Amino acid sequence: MSGAGKVLLIYTGGTVGMLPSDGANPESPLAPAAWERLSGFTSALDTLDVEPVMYPLPLIDSSNMTPGYWLDLARVIGDNYAGFEGFVILHGTDTMSFTATALSFLLENLGKPVILTGSQIPLSEPRNDALQNLVTSLMIAAPSARALAPVPEVCILFHDVLLRGNRARKVSASAYNGFASPNYGALGWVGTHIELNAKLIRPLPERALHVHERLEDKVVTIELFPGIKADILRRIFDTGVRGVVLRTFGAGNAPTDKEFLQAVEYGIRERELVIVNVTQCGEGAVAMGRYETGAGLLALGVVSGADMTPEAALVKLQFLLGRGDDPDTVKQMMQRNLRGELSPVKD
Ligand code: ASP
Protein backbone atom coordinates (compact mmCIF):
# COMPACT_ATOMS: atom_id res chain seq x y z
CA MET A 1 0.00 0.00 0.00
CA SER A 2 1.35 3.45 -0.83
CA GLY A 3 2.54 5.42 2.17
CA ALA A 4 1.98 2.46 4.56
CA GLY A 5 2.58 3.47 8.17
CA LYS A 6 2.99 7.12 7.21
CA VAL A 7 0.51 9.71 8.45
CA LEU A 8 0.44 13.38 7.51
CA LEU A 9 -0.11 15.24 10.79
CA ILE A 10 -1.65 18.59 9.96
CA TYR A 11 -1.43 21.04 12.84
CA THR A 12 -3.93 23.92 12.80
CA GLY A 13 -3.83 25.01 16.46
CA GLY A 14 -6.54 24.61 19.10
CA THR A 15 -6.29 23.86 22.82
CA VAL A 16 -4.30 20.72 22.11
CA GLY A 17 -1.18 22.80 21.37
CA MET A 18 -1.88 25.92 23.40
CA LEU A 19 0.30 27.60 26.01
CA PRO A 20 -0.38 30.70 28.14
CA SER A 21 -0.01 33.73 25.84
CA ASP A 22 2.18 35.50 28.41
CA GLY A 23 5.04 33.15 29.30
CA ALA A 24 5.52 34.95 32.62
CA ASN A 25 1.86 34.52 33.63
CA PRO A 26 0.44 30.97 33.70
CA GLU A 27 -3.06 32.43 34.13
CA SER A 28 -2.93 34.46 30.89
CA PRO A 29 -5.33 33.42 28.07
CA LEU A 30 -4.28 30.35 26.09
CA ALA A 31 -3.01 30.78 22.52
CA PRO A 32 -1.73 28.22 19.99
CA ALA A 33 2.02 27.49 20.18
CA ALA A 34 4.45 26.23 17.52
CA TRP A 35 4.83 22.43 17.59
CA GLU A 36 8.56 22.70 18.38
CA ARG A 37 7.68 24.33 21.71
CA LEU A 38 5.70 21.21 22.65
CA SER A 39 8.40 18.64 21.89
CA GLY A 40 8.94 17.94 25.61
CA PHE A 41 5.38 16.59 25.84
CA THR A 42 5.29 14.33 22.79
CA SER A 43 8.03 11.77 23.49
CA ALA A 44 5.41 8.95 23.47
CA LEU A 45 5.19 9.45 19.70
CA ASP A 46 8.83 8.30 19.31
CA THR A 47 7.90 4.74 20.28
CA LEU A 48 4.97 4.43 17.85
CA ASP A 49 5.05 2.16 14.82
CA VAL A 50 3.40 5.00 12.91
CA GLU A 51 5.52 7.66 11.25
CA PRO A 52 3.86 11.08 11.62
CA VAL A 53 5.08 13.78 9.25
CA MET A 54 4.24 17.24 10.57
CA TYR A 55 2.54 19.76 8.28
CA PRO A 56 1.96 23.06 10.07
CA LEU A 57 -0.68 25.45 8.79
CA PRO A 58 -1.36 28.92 10.23
CA LEU A 59 -2.01 28.29 13.93
CA ILE A 60 -5.41 29.48 15.07
CA ASP A 61 -7.96 29.10 17.80
CA SER A 62 -10.67 27.30 15.84
CA SER A 63 -13.13 30.09 16.64
CA ASN A 64 -11.22 31.91 13.88
CA MET A 65 -11.85 29.12 11.34
CA THR A 66 -13.08 30.13 7.85
CA PRO A 67 -14.31 28.36 4.70
CA GLY A 68 -11.07 29.51 3.02
CA TYR A 69 -9.08 27.52 5.57
CA TRP A 70 -11.25 24.43 4.87
CA LEU A 71 -10.38 24.73 1.18
CA ASP A 72 -6.66 24.94 2.09
CA LEU A 73 -6.97 21.82 4.25
CA ALA A 74 -8.69 19.91 1.46
CA ARG A 75 -5.94 21.01 -0.96
CA VAL A 76 -3.17 19.85 1.41
CA ILE A 77 -4.79 16.42 1.68
CA GLY A 78 -5.30 16.23 -2.10
CA ASP A 79 -1.69 17.23 -2.82
CA ASN A 80 -0.30 14.66 -0.37
CA TYR A 81 -2.87 11.92 -0.91
CA ALA A 82 -0.65 9.35 -2.62
CA GLY A 83 2.22 9.57 -0.14
CA PHE A 84 0.37 8.77 3.09
CA GLU A 85 -1.79 6.00 4.50
CA GLY A 86 -3.94 8.50 6.35
CA PHE A 87 -4.25 12.02 7.71
CA VAL A 88 -4.64 13.43 11.22
CA ILE A 89 -5.71 17.03 11.72
CA LEU A 90 -5.01 18.62 15.10
CA HIS A 91 -7.78 21.16 15.51
CA GLY A 92 -9.56 23.23 18.14
CA THR A 93 -12.72 21.64 19.44
CA ASP A 94 -14.96 24.71 19.08
CA THR A 95 -15.51 24.37 15.32
CA MET A 96 -14.09 20.90 14.73
CA SER A 97 -17.43 19.48 13.59
CA PHE A 98 -17.79 22.24 10.96
CA THR A 99 -14.33 21.49 9.56
CA ALA A 100 -14.92 17.74 9.57
CA THR A 101 -18.21 18.28 7.74
CA ALA A 102 -16.65 20.61 5.18
CA LEU A 103 -13.87 18.12 4.43
CA SER A 104 -16.38 15.31 4.05
CA PHE A 105 -18.01 17.23 1.19
CA LEU A 106 -14.85 18.65 -0.36
CA LEU A 107 -13.06 15.26 -0.48
CA GLU A 108 -15.30 13.26 -2.82
CA ASN A 109 -14.46 9.54 -3.13
CA LEU A 110 -12.21 9.63 -0.09
CA GLY A 111 -10.49 6.26 0.29
CA LYS A 112 -8.23 6.95 3.29
CA PRO A 113 -8.81 7.95 6.91
CA VAL A 114 -8.89 11.66 7.72
CA ILE A 115 -9.11 11.94 11.51
CA LEU A 116 -9.68 15.24 13.29
CA THR A 117 -8.78 15.41 16.94
CA GLY A 118 -7.91 17.89 19.66
CA SER A 119 -8.36 18.11 23.39
CA GLN A 120 -10.04 19.85 26.27
CA ILE A 121 -6.72 20.27 28.14
CA PRO A 122 -3.46 21.23 26.37
CA LEU A 123 -0.65 18.71 25.84
CA SER A 124 1.53 20.78 28.14
CA GLU A 125 -0.67 20.20 31.20
CA PRO A 126 -0.41 17.05 33.36
CA ARG A 127 -4.13 16.08 33.21
CA ASN A 128 -4.28 16.48 29.46
CA ASP A 129 -6.41 14.35 27.15
CA ALA A 130 -4.37 15.48 24.16
CA LEU A 131 -1.70 12.81 23.98
CA GLN A 132 -4.12 9.90 24.10
CA ASN A 133 -6.41 11.46 21.49
CA LEU A 134 -3.42 12.10 19.23
CA VAL A 135 -1.88 8.64 19.61
CA THR A 136 -5.21 6.86 18.99
CA SER A 137 -5.90 9.04 15.96
CA LEU A 138 -2.48 8.23 14.48
CA MET A 139 -3.19 4.51 14.97
CA ILE A 140 -6.56 4.70 13.22
CA ALA A 141 -5.03 6.77 10.42
CA ALA A 142 -2.40 4.07 9.76
CA PRO A 143 -4.47 0.88 9.99
CA SER A 144 -1.88 -1.41 8.37
CA ALA A 145 0.40 -1.08 11.42
CA ARG A 146 -2.03 -3.05 13.63
CA ALA A 147 -4.29 -4.79 11.14
CA LEU A 148 -7.24 -2.48 11.73
CA ALA A 149 -9.86 -2.09 9.02
CA PRO A 150 -9.41 1.12 7.02
CA VAL A 151 -11.90 3.89 7.78
CA PRO A 152 -12.24 5.80 4.48
CA GLU A 153 -14.06 8.73 6.05
CA VAL A 154 -13.55 12.12 7.63
CA CYS A 155 -13.94 11.34 11.34
CA ILE A 156 -13.63 12.94 14.73
CA LEU A 157 -11.73 10.93 17.33
CA PHE A 158 -12.39 12.24 20.81
CA HIS A 159 -11.88 10.51 24.15
CA ASP A 160 -13.48 7.10 23.73
CA VAL A 161 -15.34 7.37 20.42
CA LEU A 162 -14.68 7.59 16.71
CA LEU A 163 -17.52 9.53 15.06
CA ARG A 164 -18.46 10.31 11.48
CA GLY A 165 -17.39 13.95 11.18
CA ASN A 166 -20.52 15.23 9.46
CA ARG A 167 -22.72 13.63 12.16
CA ALA A 168 -20.71 14.87 15.13
CA ARG A 169 -21.38 17.83 17.40
CA LYS A 170 -19.45 19.41 20.25
CA VAL A 171 -21.68 18.73 23.25
CA SER A 172 -19.55 19.78 26.21
CA ALA A 173 -17.26 22.73 26.80
CA SER A 174 -15.38 20.84 29.50
CA ALA A 175 -16.00 17.06 29.61
CA TYR A 176 -13.35 14.72 28.22
CA ASN A 177 -16.06 13.14 26.07
CA GLY A 178 -16.86 16.44 24.42
CA PHE A 179 -18.40 15.13 21.17
CA ALA A 180 -21.47 13.08 20.33
CA SER A 181 -23.23 11.86 17.22
CA PRO A 182 -26.89 12.10 18.16
CA ASN A 183 -28.44 10.62 15.01
CA TYR A 184 -25.86 8.05 13.92
CA GLY A 185 -23.95 5.38 15.83
CA ALA A 186 -20.26 5.58 16.66
CA LEU A 187 -17.86 4.26 14.01
CA GLY A 188 -15.63 2.95 16.76
CA TRP A 189 -14.94 2.77 20.48
CA VAL A 190 -11.64 3.32 22.22
CA GLY A 191 -10.75 1.58 25.45
CA THR A 192 -7.95 -0.87 26.10
CA HIS A 193 -8.64 -1.92 22.48
CA ILE A 194 -9.70 0.02 19.44
CA GLU A 195 -12.93 -1.53 18.17
CA LEU A 196 -14.37 -0.46 14.85
CA ASN A 197 -18.05 -0.73 13.97
CA ALA A 198 -17.63 -2.03 10.39
CA LYS A 199 -21.39 -2.01 9.69
CA LEU A 200 -21.56 1.78 9.98
CA ILE A 201 -18.36 2.69 8.14
CA ARG A 202 -18.64 3.83 4.54
CA PRO A 203 -17.29 1.41 1.92
CA LEU A 204 -14.13 2.14 -0.05
CA PRO A 205 -14.97 4.29 -3.08
CA GLU A 206 -14.79 2.92 -6.61
CA ARG A 207 -13.47 6.15 -8.09
CA ALA A 208 -10.42 8.31 -7.52
CA LEU A 209 -10.39 11.17 -5.02
CA HIS A 210 -11.81 14.43 -6.33
CA VAL A 211 -11.05 17.57 -4.33
CA HIS A 212 -13.68 20.30 -4.69
CA GLU A 213 -12.41 23.85 -4.65
CA ARG A 214 -15.34 26.17 -3.98
CA LEU A 215 -17.71 27.01 -1.16
CA GLU A 216 -20.40 29.71 -1.12
CA ASP A 217 -20.01 31.73 2.04
CA LYS A 218 -23.25 33.73 1.67
CA VAL A 219 -25.15 31.28 3.83
CA VAL A 220 -26.60 31.95 7.29
CA THR A 221 -28.20 30.13 10.18
CA ILE A 222 -31.27 31.68 11.85
CA GLU A 223 -32.49 30.23 15.12
CA LEU A 224 -36.20 30.72 15.80
CA PHE A 225 -37.43 31.88 19.21
CA PRO A 226 -40.89 32.78 20.45
CA GLY A 227 -41.69 36.30 19.25
CA ILE A 228 -39.21 36.41 16.35
CA LYS A 229 -40.04 39.39 14.11
CA ALA A 230 -40.88 38.80 10.45
CA ASP A 231 -39.28 42.09 9.39
CA ILE A 232 -35.94 40.99 10.82
CA LEU A 233 -36.12 37.87 8.64
CA ARG A 234 -36.87 40.03 5.59
CA ARG A 235 -33.91 42.28 6.35
CA ILE A 236 -31.59 39.29 6.60
CA PHE A 237 -32.98 37.94 3.30
CA ASP A 238 -32.20 41.33 1.69
CA THR A 239 -28.48 41.15 2.55
CA GLY A 240 -27.59 39.04 -0.49
CA VAL A 241 -27.56 35.67 1.27
CA ARG A 242 -28.25 32.68 -0.97
CA GLY A 243 -28.99 29.96 1.56
CA VAL A 244 -30.55 29.87 5.01
CA VAL A 245 -30.56 27.17 7.65
CA LEU A 246 -33.66 27.71 9.76
CA ARG A 247 -33.31 26.13 13.19
CA THR A 248 -36.91 25.42 14.08
CA PHE A 249 -38.77 24.06 17.08
CA GLY A 250 -39.21 20.31 17.64
CA ALA A 251 -39.99 18.32 14.51
CA GLY A 252 -39.48 21.34 12.22
CA ASN A 253 -42.15 23.72 13.53
CA ALA A 254 -42.43 27.50 13.26
CA PRO A 255 -45.01 30.24 13.89
CA THR A 256 -48.05 30.19 11.59
CA ASP A 257 -48.80 33.90 11.74
CA LYS A 258 -49.27 35.56 8.37
CA GLU A 259 -46.31 37.96 8.62
CA PHE A 260 -43.87 35.20 9.44
CA LEU A 261 -45.00 32.93 6.60
CA GLN A 262 -45.08 35.86 4.16
CA ALA A 263 -41.48 36.68 5.08
CA VAL A 264 -40.46 33.06 4.38
CA GLU A 265 -42.36 33.18 1.07
CA TYR A 266 -40.61 36.45 0.18
CA GLY A 267 -37.23 34.80 0.79
CA ILE A 268 -38.05 31.80 -1.39
CA ARG A 269 -39.95 33.50 -4.25
CA GLU A 270 -38.38 36.96 -4.48
CA ARG A 271 -34.87 36.28 -3.21
CA GLU A 272 -34.60 32.74 -4.63
CA LEU A 273 -33.21 31.48 -1.35
CA VAL A 274 -32.79 27.86 -0.47
CA ILE A 275 -34.19 27.58 3.06
CA VAL A 276 -33.40 24.37 4.92
CA ASN A 277 -35.24 23.30 8.04
CA VAL A 278 -33.30 21.64 10.88
CA THR A 279 -34.43 21.12 14.43
CA GLN A 280 -33.12 23.00 17.45
CA CYS A 281 -33.38 19.75 19.42
CA GLY A 282 -30.25 17.86 20.29
CA GLU A 283 -31.43 14.79 18.44
CA GLY A 284 -34.18 13.60 16.12
CA ALA A 285 -35.35 14.72 12.72
CA VAL A 286 -37.54 17.26 11.00
CA ALA A 287 -40.94 15.98 9.81
CA MET A 288 -42.68 19.02 8.36
CA GLY A 289 -45.92 17.24 7.49
CA ARG A 290 -46.61 16.32 11.10
CA TYR A 291 -47.99 19.55 12.57
CA GLU A 292 -49.76 22.55 11.05
CA THR A 293 -46.82 24.61 12.31
CA GLY A 294 -44.52 22.66 10.00
CA ALA A 295 -46.89 22.13 7.10
CA GLY A 296 -46.91 25.87 6.33
CA LEU A 297 -43.16 25.85 5.73
CA LEU A 298 -43.39 22.71 3.60
CA ALA A 299 -46.09 24.26 1.40
CA LEU A 300 -43.87 27.29 0.77
CA GLY A 301 -40.97 25.14 -0.43
CA VAL A 302 -38.79 25.02 2.65
CA VAL A 303 -36.50 21.99 2.34
CA SER A 304 -36.34 19.36 5.05
CA GLY A 305 -32.92 18.96 6.61
CA ALA A 306 -34.16 15.60 7.98
CA ASP A 307 -31.76 14.48 10.73
CA MET A 308 -28.75 16.50 9.62
CA THR A 309 -26.82 18.39 12.25
CA PRO A 310 -27.06 22.18 11.95
CA GLU A 311 -23.37 22.14 11.01
CA ALA A 312 -23.99 19.63 8.21
CA ALA A 313 -26.95 21.60 6.84
CA LEU A 314 -24.97 24.85 6.77
CA VAL A 315 -21.81 23.44 5.21
CA LYS A 316 -23.72 21.29 2.71
CA LEU A 317 -25.52 24.44 1.52
CA GLN A 318 -22.16 26.19 1.15
CA PHE A 319 -20.88 23.21 -0.83
CA LEU A 320 -23.87 22.82 -3.16
CA LEU A 321 -24.28 26.55 -3.81
CA GLY A 322 -20.51 26.76 -4.34
CA ARG A 323 -20.80 24.17 -7.13
CA GLY A 324 -22.95 26.67 -9.01
CA ASP A 325 -26.12 24.55 -9.08
CA ASP A 326 -29.46 26.38 -9.50
CA PRO A 327 -31.74 26.64 -6.41
CA ASP A 328 -34.00 23.74 -7.51
CA THR A 329 -31.05 21.39 -7.92
CA VAL A 330 -29.62 22.53 -4.58
CA LYS A 331 -33.01 21.81 -2.95
CA GLN A 332 -33.05 18.29 -4.36
CA MET A 333 -29.45 17.58 -3.44
CA MET A 334 -29.93 18.90 0.10
CA GLN A 335 -32.39 16.05 0.64
CA ARG A 336 -30.11 13.42 -0.86
CA ASN A 337 -27.53 11.57 1.21
CA LEU A 338 -24.15 12.54 -0.27
CA ARG A 339 -21.56 11.60 2.37
CA GLY A 340 -23.49 9.73 5.04
CA GLU A 341 -24.68 12.99 6.60
CA LEU A 342 -28.41 12.26 6.34
CA SER A 343 -30.92 9.45 6.87
CA PRO A 344 -33.82 9.16 4.39
CA VAL A 345 -36.38 11.99 4.62
CA LYS A 346 -39.75 10.91 6.07
CA ASP A 347 -41.97 13.88 5.06
N1 ASP B 1 -10.99 27.62 21.68
C1 ASP B 1 -10.35 26.34 21.41
C2 ASP B 1 -10.40 26.09 19.93
O1 ASP B 1 -11.41 25.72 19.42
C3 ASP B 1 -11.05 25.28 22.18
C4 ASP B 1 -10.48 23.89 22.03
O2 ASP B 1 -9.64 23.59 21.22
O3 ASP B 1 -10.92 23.01 22.82
O4 ASP B 1 -9.42 26.31 19.27
Side-chain angles (χ1 to χ4, degrees), residues 36-250:
E36 300 73 59
R37 294 180 62 198
L38 304 167
S39 55
F41 309 103
T42 57
S43 51
L45 301 186
D46 302 342
T47 59
L48 276 187
D49 46 7
V50 175
E51 190 193 335
V53 176
M54 181 53 86
Y55 193 111
L57 280 174
L59 298 181
I60 59 169
D61 184 303
S62 78
S63 295
N64 287 317
M65 187 48 73
T66 61
Y69 202 123
W70 297 335
L71 295 172
D72 289 343
L73 275 170
R75 217 171 288 127
V76 168
I77 292 171
D79 291 348
N80 291 281
Y81 195 66
F84 293 88
E85 193 177 354
F87 301 83
V88 170
I89 302 175
L90 284 171
H91 195 290
T93 59
D94 289 345
T95 62
M96 190 184 288
S97 55
F98 288 90
T99 301
T101 302
L103 292 175
S104 77
F105 289 112
L106 293 171
L107 301 171
E108 187 167 354
N109 302 320
L110 181 68
K112 298 186 177 190
V114 173
I115 316 291
L116 283 92
T117 197
S119 66
Q120 299 281 32
I121 301 182
L123 256 177
S124 55
E125 294 185 23
R127 288 179 61 247
N128 82 81
D129 50 333
L131 191 61
Q132 190 174 325
N133 285 346
L134 172 55
V135 168
T136 308
S137 298
L138 288 168
M139 289 177 172
I140 295 172
S144 67
R146 49 191 45 69
L148 286 172
V151 185
E153 298 213 20
V154 180
C155 304
I156 288 180
L157 181 291
F158 215 81
H159 191 51
D160 55 359
V161 283
L162 180 71
L163 306 174
R164 176 169 297 158
N166 58 32
R167 292 284 196 161
R169 306 204 71 201
K170 181 172 178 178
V171 292
S172 173
S174 53
Y176 283 133
N177 49 356
F179 285 82
S181 171
N183 288 330
Y184 196 76
L187 303 186
W189 300 275
V190 178
T192 50
H193 293 91
I194 299 173
E195 274 178 58
L196 297 178
N197 189 0
K199 287 196 304 292
L200 296 190
I201 295 172
R202 283 166 69 78
L204 280 163
E206 283 165 13
R207 298 187 182 178
L209 178 75
H210 174 68
V211 181
H212 291 266
E213 291 177 352
R214 287 202 54 205
L215 291 166
E216 170 58 82
D217 57 9
K218 294 196 200 72
V219 171
V220 292
T221 296
I222 301 174
E223 175 142 345
L224 298 188
F225 52 89
I228 188 168
K229 297 271 181 290
D231 67 307
I232 294 181
L233 283 186
R234 281 178 184 262
R235 275 188 247 170
I236 295 173
F237 296 164
D238 283 342
T239 57
V241 292
R242 299 189 55 214
V244 176
V245 175
L246 206 56
R247 294 197 60 194
T248 56
F249 309 121

Side-chain angles (χ1 to χ4, degrees), residues 242-266:
R242 299 189 55 214
V244 176
V245 175
L246 206 56
R247 294 197 60 194
T248 56
F249 309 121
N253 304 317
T256 47
D257 69 83
K258 214 164 118 202
E259 288 74 32
F260 179 85
L261 289 175
Q262 280 174 344
V264 172
E265 185 171 21
Y266 169 76

